[in-house]
Amino acid sequence: MRFTCGALLAACALTACESRPRDAERVFVNGAVYTVDASRSWAEAVAVNDGHIVFVGSNQDARVWIGEETEVSDLGGQMLLPGFHDSHAHVLMGVLTEQNCDLLRVATLEEIEAVLQECTRLDGFGEDGWIIGGGWGEWLFDLSSPDKALLDQLFPERPVYLESSFGHSAWVNSVALDKAGIHRETVVGDDGVIVRDPETGEATGALHDAAMMLVKRITPDMTMGFRLDSVRKAITMLHEHGITAVIEPGLDEALIAPLLVLSDSGQFDVRALASLSPISWQPGVFDDGIYEFIEQRDKWRRPNLDVDSVKIYMDGVIEAGTSPLLEPYLVEEWGTGPFFYTQEKVNEYFTRLDAMGLQVHTHAIGDAAVRMALDGYEAMRKANGMSDNRHHITHLQLIHEDDRPRFGELRVGATFQALWAYPDEAALDLDVPILGKDRAWQMYPIRSVHESGGRINGGSDYWVTDLNPLLAIEAAVTRQDPWTNAGEILNEDERVDLATMIDAYTINGAYTMKLEDRQGSIEVGKRADLVVLDRNLFEIDPYEISDANVTMTVFDGRTVYPGPE
């Protein structure tokens, strides 16, 4: 809040004001300022000029920065942190709008049917009135594979394409299958699955990984106006959660285009690293065409948009059986298909991309895929030496204990989705039956990787899970459901402390974006990207972390989210 500075100025008159610096544009006082600097020190006040932090210290010493025109924000004991960094989120490609069929967080099949009934009233996209959306939970369907029958009933003449909450499966109807030319003889590569009726051989309406592209590629292009509105909404969502920086994986030229429009018009109030992919974010064949694509990247570079990163998939997802494991699934014939690539190809891709100065941002979920990725990074290090491209692996659902120390040894970041690190419906209804409880309870070994020297990053994988960093931080600290604070604990030996997870969402995220000298901590000279929470996280019960609220988000010294009305 802004208030009269007379009292502070009067106090300043009793000190050496003659030699004080020029007035700051903004000063935050009376805060619990956790700086995340090298010594993890605390402060009370922060001064800002020209979008940069110019002072960090005590309320007393902050007085010399306050003039008649200074905007003073009295935090009243609230916590001030560096702006949060999300190191893996599908948000700037756009978010669901009122024009989409939104099945996110729908808890039961009955509710899904009700929402789909409402979606029949949507205008849809393109001349055929495509119904596009998704977010349905894999755990609601047997083997993560919904049937087209319900969609055929509700949408007998309109094509439907609905992606799953994990983003590795699609639910489509017969009209969409016909338009895509999917029939009994249709084949798909090793990196995709068309689920078929075992007796008739007909496609059931469930598509996994690269098979999704058979339908997705014929869906109508979204207009630039739609994309711009969707990205603006996404940036607003980031600010509401205190997020000022994000790594967006799997953008192609069409998805980058609205970011450039917003950046060139001064509306891109977020720092972003785009992990490029010529096939958008969908799994698929990563071939030599990527090199021609990424050679164009300089034309997409902007002050707040870096493009020196490439996304590559090692596998699909465990819940659809498309992620190879070191030990077999408990479901017959699952995980028997080949890897997306040979180890030789992975080594070749990683080594060449690293030599080009690019970060390799790798999707790896199963322990076999994680090992393949780490072997690729090891081959890359042997060929190129220890470059500084800040490579990282994301998801990391299962990591063999022998591979956990390799993150530190190879200087490869570990980007966990910590909000998955508790026994939710997916873990209990899907992972336990297909992995066994002992193996499922080894999922997301955050503490093991951290204690063996790995750098931990925080990522939401929105829209797969909630964007709120505080939910993920609490789940990592407690390994229990952060909404109910109840239920089973997912391997309490893998709990980490609060400071580790704040690092993951601040300075570690900045490091992974090569921005740690400019942001990620509250220090003089760094950008004034800040978040204010209504309570000090270090002074509350760990089970209350997610109850904290963002009351202000600051970007370049400007308030971009003033808190809830």
Side-chain angles (χ1 to χ4, degrees):
M1 67 189 73
R2 188 182 179 95
F3 62 82
T4 303
C5 303
L8 289 173
L9 288 171
C12 179
L14 301 177
T15 65
C17 289
E18 295 81 9
S19 60
R20 73 176 174 85
R22 73 181 178 93
D23 298 344
E25 295 169 0
R26 293 193 75 169
V27 174
F28 299 87
V29 296
N30 296 323
V33 182
Y34 185 57
T35 66
V36 200
D37 64 6
S39 60
R40 301 303 186 264
S41 62
W42 291 81
E44 296 176 308
V46 174
V48 175
N49 264 332
D50 301 322
H52 288 83
I53 297 167
V54 294
F55 166 82
V56 181
S58 68
N59 289 328
Q60 176 72 26
D61 291 341
R63 293 175 175 179
V64 298
W65 291 93
I66 298 174
E68 292 184 357
E69 299 301 318
T70 302
E71 179 182 355
V72 180
S73 297
D74 186 344
L75 299 180
Q78 295 183 103
M79 189 176 196
L80 185 66
L81 285 166
F84 291 131
H85 291 60
D86 191 317
S87 295
H88 186 93
H90 305 281
V91 60
L92 293 179
M93 65 173 53
V95 298
L96 292 175
T97 71
E98 291 77 10
Q99 299 179 56
N100 295 108
C101 187
D102 185 357
L103 300 174
L104 274 173
R105 323 292 180 241
V106 179
T108 66
L109 289 175
E110 291 75 19
E111 291 176 83
I112 282 181
E113 185 169 354
V115 173
L116 289 172
Q117 183 68 56
E118 290 296 317
C119 290
T120 63
R121 300 178 175 86
L122 293 175
D123 292 336
F125 296 92
E127 294 182 358
D128 295 319
W130 278 79
I131 298 298
I132 296 174
W136 51 270
E138 282 85 347
W139 54 91
L140 297 175
F141 301 95
D142 186 35
L143 299 180
S144 306
S145 299
D147 191 272
K148 63 187 177 184
L150 176 60
L151 299 182
D152 287 348
Q153 175 188 339
L154 294 173
F155 306 94
E157 299 179 354
R158 301 174 68 185
V160 180
Y161 178 84
L162 304 171
E163 291 180 355
S164 70
S165 66
F166 292 170
H168 286 260
S169 299
W171 183 12
V172 301
N173 66 346
S174 294
V175 178
L177 290 169
D178 290 342
K179 286 185 175 294
I182 298 175
H183 46 70
R184 289 187 181 89
E185 289 74 35
T186 302
V187 296
V188 66
D190 295 334
D191 49 357
V193 175
I194 300 171
V195 179
R196 298 184 180 279
D197 185 293
E199 296 182 1
T200 67
E202 291 187 359
T204 64
L207 308 171
H208 299 315
D209 290 310
M212 300 165 65
M213 294 301 292
L214 298 175
V215 176
K216 187 174 184 178
R217 68 189 179 194
I218 66 168
T219 58
D221 290 334
M222 305 300 175
T223 66
M224 179 58 75
F226 175 86
R227 290 191 184 279
L228 288 171
D229 288 345
S230 186
V231 175
R232 287 190 188 100
K233 181 179 177 181
I235 293 173
T236 297
M237 288 176 55
L238 291 169
H239 293 161
E240 290 172 348
H241 293 296
I243 299 168
T244 57
V246 63
I247 299 178
E248 179 86 15
L251 294 183
D252 60 15
E253 189 166 9
L255 293 171
I256 291 173
L259 311 187
L260 304 183
V261 172
L262 293 177
S263 179
D264 292 343
S265 60
Q267 301 177 64
F268 196 62
D269 288 339
V270 66
R271 307 195 198 282
L273 171 60
S275 288
L276 303 174
S277 169
I279 54 164
S280 182
W281 63 283
Q282 203 60 54
V285 176
F286 184 100
D287 58 25
D288 291 345
I290 185 67
Y291 302 112
E292 180 180 350
F293 173 72
I294 59 180
E295 284 173 357
Q296 308 173 59
R297 68 187 187 280
D298 281 344
K299 70 181 181 182
W300 304 319
R301 199 182 306 279
R302 294 295 188 275
N304 288 345
L305 179 61
D306 186 9
V307 288
D308 290 327
S309 179
V310 172
K311 169 82 174 291
I312 182 169
Y313 285 84
M314 291 294 101
D315 60 352
V317 293
I318 288 173
E319 291 75 16
T322 54
S323 178
L325 303 177
L326 295 175
E327 298 293 333
Y329 287 87
L330 301 184
V331 177
E332 187 177 357
E333 296 184 357
W334 269 31
T336 57
F339 286 91
F340 285 9
Y341 319 100
T342 64
Q343 186 66 59
E344 290 73 22
K345 271 295 182 184
V346 172
N347 298 352
E348 174 191 328
Y349 289 142
F350 284 20
T351 300
R352 186 170 174 181
L353 293 169
D354 177 66
M356 296 173 69
L358 289 156
Q359 175 190 88
V360 180
H361 180 157
T362 306
H363 165 117
I365 286 182
D367 49 13
V370 173
R371 177 167 292 177
M372 174 174 272
L374 290 169
D375 287 348
Y377 287 119
E378 183 172 343
M380 176 197 75
R381 294 299 193 201
K382 289 178 179 177
N384 297 345
M386 196 63 75
S387 69
D388 191 35
N389 292 325
R390 315 291 171 90
H391 308 295
H392 61 128
I393 305 176
T394 191
H395 305 320
L396 302 167
Q397 189 167 350
L398 286 175
I399 310 173
H400 192 279
E401 59 182 10
D402 293 344
D403 291 321
R404 295 170 189 176
R406 300 177 71 193
F407 288 86
E409 295 164 2
L410 296 169
R411 280 175 51 189
V412 172
T415 300
F416 284 98
Q417 283 65 59
L419 187 49
W420 302 348
Y422 78 94
D424 62 359
E425 295 97 331
L428 295 173
D429 297 343
L430 286 176
D431 295 319
V432 170
I434 64 182
L435 297 175
K437 186 168 183 178
D438 288 346
R439 187 163 37 161
W441 249 237
Q442 295 302 311
M443 296 190 302
Y444 311 111
I446 303 173
R447 182 175 178 176
S448 293
V449 174
H450 171 63
E451 291 189 342
S452 62
R455 185 184 299 272
I456 305 300
N457 300 320
S460 63
D461 201 21
Y462 181 88
W463 65 342
V464 177
T465 36
D466 201 294
L467 198 58
N468 185 356
L470 297 173
L471 283 166
I473 291 171
E474 180 178 318
V477 172
T478 67
R479 307 283 292 196
Q480 276 184 290
D481 186 332
W483 284 279
T484 66
N485 299 334
E488 294 188 73
I489 297 171
L490 186 66
N491 191 351
E492 62 183 326
D493 290 339
E494 290 296 339
R495 286 172 165 169
V496 293
D497 61 26
L498 173 61
T500 296
M501 289 310 299
I502 289 179
D503 283 358
Y505 273 97
T506 56
I507 193 64
N508 289 0
Y511 175 89
T512 303
M513 296 177 70
K514 287 192 176 181
L515 293 174
E516 77 280 7
D517 60 336
R518 285 173 275 173
Q519 62 196 63
S521 61
I522 301 176
E523 300 181 79
V524 172
K526 291 196 173 184
R527 302 302 302 183
D529 295 355
L530 309 165
V531 57
V532 181
L533 304 180
D534 63 0
R535 66 201 75 183
N536 186 338
L537 300 182
F538 287 93
E539 295 182 348
I540 61 176
D541 187 290
Y543 288 93
E544 297 176 6
I545 292 171
S546 65
D547 296 331
N549 296 299
V550 173
T551 60
M552 185 189 302
T553 302
V554 176
F555 182 81
D556 271 345
R558 296 176 287 107
T559 299
V560 290
Y561 174 63
E565 295 181 2

